[in-house]
Amino acid sequence: RQSTIEPYLPNLHQSGSSSQPTPNYQTTMEFGREMIKTPGLITRSGIRLVPENYLGDDPLDIMVCRSANEAAKDLFLGNEHPSKPPPRSSGKKPDDDGVANDAIDASKDNDNDDDKDNDTANNHADPAQQIQEDRNLELEALVNCSHYPDQDLPPPRPTIQPNDLVVVFESFNDLNFVYATPNAIFSNRNGHFHHNDFLGKPFGCKIRSRNNAGYGFLYLLRPTPELWMRSLPHRTQIVHELDASMIVHYLNLTPNMVVCESGTGSGAMSHVILRSIAPKGKLHTYEFNKVRVEKARREFVGHGLGHLVQVHWRDVCGKKKLLGMDGTNEENTIDYSRDATTSGDERTDDSDAANAKNNTEAQEEEEDDGNGGFQLPQATAHAIFLDLPEPWLAVPHAAYAIKPTGRICSYSPCMEQTQRTVAALRQHGFHSLRTVEARLKEYFVDEVEFDPVPTELPVIPTEETTASMEKERSEGQPSTLQQQTKQQPKDETESSGIRSKRKKIGSDSGNTNKVLCARPFPQMRGHTAFLTFATAGNAPLPDPNAS
């Protein structure tokens, strides 16, 4: 029976993953590791479809089993008609609930091909009966708690292994990265640090240099998207942590989503998105520069995220078509080599001539024909992020590729760019537009030592005494109040309950008051960009390339 229903088993959490199995390479980003299946509350519940005579042949027992099966169908399928299986999608694309109906459809196609002889022999078989049997097998596969185990990330590796990505903490504002390689050496101003000292050590440990008498040290940190964002080689301007958190929040990113990103750049924002859509999501990131595309692909594979992302060498804006480029006019040719040159922060040995040559050769292999677009079926992406100089050119293509009620975000440093993008979004059916600017105001938190509060009780003079003191002060004579204070005996002062001077509780006695205080930094990071968010409408839009 198990072999009979095996083609109908649900393929869980495959809404964004490819049909290929997950590669078994070493993973340095923990969220990219393959999930492990463990028995959970659902699998231990024992809920499944049972024969109607499971409890006996008594009519009451049959009624109980029938009602239990209906309740189980309603629980697992969650539709209004529990006696029927859930409606299937028109294509081979899985639904949003995580149950891949394409596996069921494909298995049925294979079964039909394998059983052609049987169908020929049984030409007089009832088609309705065959459909009902298929439905029963499908229900038996879907309504079974043993097919829904819990999927969790494996426990993080406690120690550093060869080829692991390690973020090196040198100082508060100075982070670097290395790939732990046997017999390699990492050098900085603090000394020479051998990678052999890294291997086998836990993340977060402190390593001292082998020279300078061991006075130099650094910390080895486990890589995260935020730490990688602060240590990566900058190929372009990156999206920093504050803006990245706003983008993930307002795009409503959740696991197993399909997300499109235009403007890969240095890949900083890509890592943040990948962590949000793991373990079975899919990120389609687009970059028109060939050099950055190849470097981004190597980084994703090296970090163990290659199965979650697909890097496209493509201009989604379609500038070639808009400019009428045919490749023969030099005035209409985009100079890819100009953008291929790296910034001073990037560690590369490629010369400008080599970059230009690579880009010239790569133009012949570019994925698009100049029309632009994401090259995805209609209503595929749950969210789209645009980090482009002219995002309004990509809005028509985004409106075609995004799902109804999907979210879109545009990252633009100038207000003029934001205004044109907002106009394009409204023109193509987007609503609930919102533009925000995030500014980070950091505080320095530390213990501050204050002087103790004075405990002396001042002598409060009366009106007559005040007038007398002013008169005596003008004549240069000591005030009456001072004379009374000096002449007043100690016993009389203590007996009246007023002490002119008490013992100070403070530095003289060794006691100090330490208070945890927060004070803002004198400077606040300047403007980064305007973030424009919008929601797609329900009406499908035509493909701009087709029109």
Side-chain angles (χ1 to χ4, degrees):
R1 187 63 175 174
Q2 181 69 18
S3 61
T4 305
I5 68 174
E6 186 172 359
Y8 301 94
L9 294 180
N11 191 6
L12 299 180
H13 307 300
Q14 296 290 334
S15 62
S17 62
S18 60
S19 59
Q20 299 179 356
T22 302
N24 189 18
Y25 41 66
Q26 194 170 15
T27 304
T28 56
M29 292 285 184
E30 295 296 335
F31 59 86
R33 301 177 67 183
E34 187 175 359
M35 305 286 285
I36 57 176
K37 298 180 180 180
T38 57
L41 181 62
I42 298 178
T43 56
R44 293 193 296 265
S45 65
I47 301 175
R48 66 188 187 277
L49 294 181
V50 296
E52 293 185 356
N53 58 351
Y54 181 76
L55 298 178
D57 297 332
D58 186 84
L60 183 59
D61 295 337
I62 294 177
M63 187 182 301
V64 169
C65 292
R66 191 176 300 168
S67 300
N69 289 339
E70 296 296 329
K73 294 175 187 178
D74 191 16
L75 178 63
F76 279 94
L77 304 182
N79 55 0
E80 298 178 357
H81 305 284
S83 59
K84 299 180 181 180
R88 307 180 201 170
S89 58
S90 58
K92 292 187 178 181
K93 182 177 60 177
D95 57 5
D96 296 339
D97 296 333
V99 178
N101 293 319
D102 55 348
I104 299 175
D105 296 336
S107 63
K108 289 189 175 182
D109 295 338
N110 295 333
D111 292 342
N112 293 333
D113 295 337
D114 296 338
D115 298 339
K116 284 184 178 180
D117 297 336
N118 297 333
D119 294 340
T120 304
N122 301 325
N123 289 330
H124 301 287
D126 188 2
Q129 183 179 0
Q130 184 64 30
I131 294 175
Q132 185 62 33
E133 291 180 359
D134 293 343
R135 290 296 179 112
N136 293 336
L137 291 174
E138 184 177 351
L139 283 174
E140 189 174 348
L142 293 175
V143 186
N144 193 334
C145 64
S146 61
H147 300 154
Y148 299 88
D150 289 349
Q151 301 192 35
D152 303 312
L153 280 173
R157 290 176 297 183
T159 59
I160 300 173
Q161 303 298 327
N163 301 325
D164 275 356
L165 173 64
V166 181
V167 177
V168 177
F169 181 91
E170 302 180 45
S171 63
F172 181 75
N173 291 321
D174 192 4
L175 273 72
N176 210 324
F177 73 95
V178 296
Y179 292 95
T181 306
N183 302 325
I185 300 176
F186 173 76
S187 300
N188 60 6
R189 61 183 180 181
N190 297 326
H192 303 299
F193 302 88
H194 292 247
H195 287 202
N196 292 338
D197 298 338
F198 301 173
L199 301 177
K201 296 295 194 312
F203 285 100
C205 67
K206 183 178 181 180
I207 299 294
R208 292 193 174 273
S209 62
R210 290 193 179 184
N211 61 341
N212 297 335
Y215 287 109
F217 65 91
L218 49 81
Y219 292 93
L220 307 179
L221 305 180
R222 189 186 303 273
T224 62
E226 289 76 19
L227 293 178
W228 174 247
M229 191 179 297
R230 296 180 57 183
S231 60
L232 57 80
H234 286 198
R235 294 183 286 271
T236 58
Q237 182 66 29
I238 66 172
V239 180
H240 291 278
E241 299 96 325
L242 181 60
D243 291 329
S245 62
M246 296 280 292
I247 293 169
V248 171
H249 175 70
Y250 283 106
L251 286 183
N252 301 328
L253 298 185
T254 57
N256 309 324
M257 275 188 170
V258 179
V259 181
C260 292
E261 176 196 19
S262 183
T264 307
S266 301
M269 189 63 204
S270 302
H271 284 76
V272 177
I273 296 175
L274 288 173
R275 181 179 57 183
S276 301
I277 65 176
K280 296 295 182 180
K282 194 69 174 182
L283 171 64
H284 295 272
T285 180
Y286 301 81
E287 174 63 45
F288 79 93
N289 183 273
K290 181 63 174 179
V291 174
R292 293 198 287 264
V293 167
E294 294 299 331
K295 291 184 178 180
R297 286 174 179 168
R298 289 196 298 267
E299 285 181 355
F300 290 138
V301 173
H303 298 170
L305 307 175
H307 60 291
L308 297 174
V309 61
Q310 183 176 354
V311 185
H312 302 264
W313 180 34
R314 182 177 179 82
D315 180 17
V316 299
C317 296
K319 291 184 180 179
K320 291 182 180 180
K321 182 179 180 179
L322 295 175
L323 298 176
M325 295 174 57
D326 55 1
T328 58
N329 190 355
E330 295 182 357
E331 296 180 357
N332 293 335
T333 303
I334 299 177
D335 186 5
Y336 287 92
S337 61
R338 179 177 301 176
D339 291 320
T341 57
T342 58
S343 62
D345 297 335
E346 183 178 0
R347 301 162 180 85
T348 178
D349 298 328
D350 298 335
S351 61
D352 295 341
N355 290 335
K357 180 179 179 181
N358 293 335
N359 290 317
T360 303
E361 296 175 353
Q363 291 183 32
E364 301 176 358
E365 304 173 357
E366 194 168 5
E367 294 181 7
D368 69 301
D369 53 359
N371 292 328
F374 296 90
Q375 282 189 330
L376 295 176
Q378 187 180 20
T380 300
H382 297 86
I384 295 178
F385 172 63
L386 302 177
D387 185 5
L388 302 169
E390 298 172 321
W392 56 89
L393 299 179
V395 169
H397 304 284
Y400 172 77
I402 198 170
K403 286 179 175 290
T405 69
R407 297 283 289 171
I408 188 173
C409 173
S410 176
Y411 180 94
S412 300
C414 301
M415 181 54 67
E416 292 77 10
Q417 295 172 308
T418 303
Q419 291 174 343
R420 297 188 64 176
T421 304
V422 168
L425 289 171
R426 289 175 176 170
Q427 182 181 359
H428 290 84
F430 289 89
H431 61 88
S432 303
L433 276 72
R434 181 180 185 183
T435 300
V436 298
E437 178 189 13
R439 298 289 298 275
L440 180 63
K441 187 174 183 179
E442 296 180 311
Y443 284 80
F444 180 76
V445 180
D446 192 13
E447 286 188 347
V448 180
E449 183 176 329
F450 289 97
D451 293 334
V453 179
T455 58
E456 296 181 358
L457 295 179
V459 179
I460 302 176
T462 61
E463 295 181 358
E464 298 179 356
T465 308
T466 302
S468 176
M469 289 174 58
E470 293 178 355
K471 181 178 180 181
E472 293 175 354
R473 187 181 300 108
S474 61
E475 296 176 357
Q477 299 179 359
S479 61
T480 306
L481 183 61
Q482 294 178 355
Q483 294 178 0
Q484 294 176 358
T485 304
K486 292 180 180 180
Q487 296 175 1
Q488 189 176 12
K490 181 177 180 181
D491 297 340
E492 183 180 353
T493 305
E494 292 181 354
S495 61
S496 62
I498 301 176
R499 298 181 59 184
S500 61
K501 185 176 182 180
R502 294 182 180 179
K503 185 178 181 180
K504 293 183 178 181
I505 303 176
S507 57
D508 296 340
S509 60
N511 296 329
T512 57
N513 294 333
K514 291 185 178 181
V515 181
L516 193 64
C517 297
R519 54 185 175 86
F521 281 98
Q523 295 181 351
M524 185 170 58
R525 182 176 296 175
H527 167 74
T528 55
F530 296 104
L531 301 176
T532 301
F533 300 93
T535 303
N538 292 326
L541 296 180
D543 187 2
N545 293 331
S547 61

